[in-house]
């Protein structure tokens, strides 16, 4: 599961988590994601083995959703960057 793999990267980099939210029991709503996008400058969307970076202002909400129609998990905000979806190399580089 990506949750376990995300936790492994967080532990390996000694990252401090200020807020954690379950994508199953408390899924992100459009308003939540719009607030996140307003707080960052750059968004990196991970789909499979690819990670594509874009300015936050140009990202459509649908680009952050997976095939089920829910927002991709995890969403990790580091400073003014937001990683959406699991991509271990990108996550590790953001946390260093």
């Amino acid at each position: 599961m990506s949750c376990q793999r995300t936790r492994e990267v967080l532990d390996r980099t000694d990252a401090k988590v200020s807020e954690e939210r379950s994508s199953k029991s408390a899924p992100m709503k459009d308003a939540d994601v719009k607030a996140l996008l307003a707080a960052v400058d750059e968004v990196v969307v991970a789909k499979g083995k690819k990670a594509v970076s874009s300015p936050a202002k140009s990202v459509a909400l649908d680009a952050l959703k997976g095939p089920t129609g829910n927002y991709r998990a995890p969403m990790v905000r580091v400073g003014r960057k937001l990683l959406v979806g699991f991509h271990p190399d990108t996550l590790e580089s953001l946390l260093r």
Side-chain angles (χ1 to χ4, degrees):
M1 299 211 71
S2 67
C3 180
Q4 180 181 349
R5 292 176 24 209
T6 300
R7 178 63 56 200
E8 289 170 4
V9 173
L10 293 172
D11 290 343
R12 192 170 47 248
T13 59
D14 292 326
K16 304 294 182 235
V17 177
S18 63
E19 182 182 339
E20 190 171 343
R21 179 177 177 169
S22 170
S23 62
K24 291 187 190 228
S25 62
M28 299 288 281
K29 305 283 188 219
D30 289 349
D32 301 324
V33 176
K34 285 178 184 179
L36 266 176
L37 290 175
V40 298
D41 297 323
E42 181 182 354
V43 177
V44 181
V45 179
K47 292 181 182 180
K49 295 184 180 189
K50 280 180 54 177
V52 178
S53 179
S54 304
K57 293 178 181 179
S58 69
V59 175
L61 293 180
D62 285 342
L64 307 179
K65 293 181 180 181
T68 64
N70 295 327
Y71 287 103
R72 292 182 180 279
M75 282 194 186
V76 179
R77 180 180 168 200
V78 180
R80 302 281 303 167
K81 291 184 180 184
L82 178 67
L83 172 62
V84 179
F86 183 72
H87 193 265
D89 296 336
T90 303
L91 178 57
E92 205 157 329
S93 70
L94 282 175
L95 296 172
R96 297 227 178 255

